[in-house]
Amino acid sequence: MAEQQLILEIGMGADVHGHDMTKAALRAVSDAIRHSSLSVFYAWKVPQKMRIELTIACPDPEAVDKAAVAAALPYGTVEVTCVEGGLTDEGMGGSSDTTLVIAGVRAFLDTENSPFTLSA
């Protein structure tokens, strides 16, 4: 297999009231994928064959519903990894605190026998 990374997008999402890690993660994924058009996958007619590595950085990685976040991506096989990161702004106090989450979306495709080549 000659799998190549073809896409890397970064997004940020926030839950302004409530510290909901999944809500903020879904917003971060949405932000990331709205920045790209995966035309290479459509041109080769294989969007369902891409493998996606989705990294979520948030203050409470265990609180993320990985299945819900994976379902936010419309194509491919999605692997979700949650790590500690992001930000909690505790300046307002209580439920008014803001949680920020960062999403890194990387898409891979087996390019062997593909109609295009990638240069080094």
Side-chain angles (χ1 to χ4, degrees):
M1 175 166 39
E3 188 178 72
Q4 298 287 326
Q5 178 179 319
L6 301 177
I7 305 291
L8 169 62
E9 288 294 342
I10 306 295
M12 184 198 71
D15 181 23
V16 180
H17 305 288
H19 299 291
D20 188 323
M21 300 297 148
T22 300
K23 182 188 290 185
L26 288 167
R27 290 175 176 168
V29 170
S30 177
D31 182 48
I33 65 175
R34 280 186 280 140
H35 293 158
S36 63
S37 173
L38 304 180
S39 57
V40 67
F41 297 103
Y42 293 105
W44 199 28
K45 304 195 184 325
V46 292
Q48 70 282 0
K49 291 186 179 180
M50 71 178 130
R51 182 177 65 83
I52 299 170
E53 291 181 357
L54 175 56
T55 303
I56 300 295
C58 65
D60 185 4
E62 298 298 319
V64 176
D65 180 343
K66 291 181 180 181
V69 174
L73 294 164
Y75 298 107
T77 302
V78 183
E79 304 164 11
V80 179
T81 302
C82 297
V83 299
E84 192 167 334
L87 173 73
T88 297
D89 178 6
E90 298 178 355
M92 309 255 327
S95 63
S96 296
D97 289 348
T98 300
T99 298
L100 298 177
V101 172
I102 305 300
V105 181
R106 296 171 36 172
F108 298 82
L109 186 64
D110 182 352
T111 58
E112 191 171 329
N113 301 318
S114 71
F116 58 90
T117 58
L118 299 175
S119 61

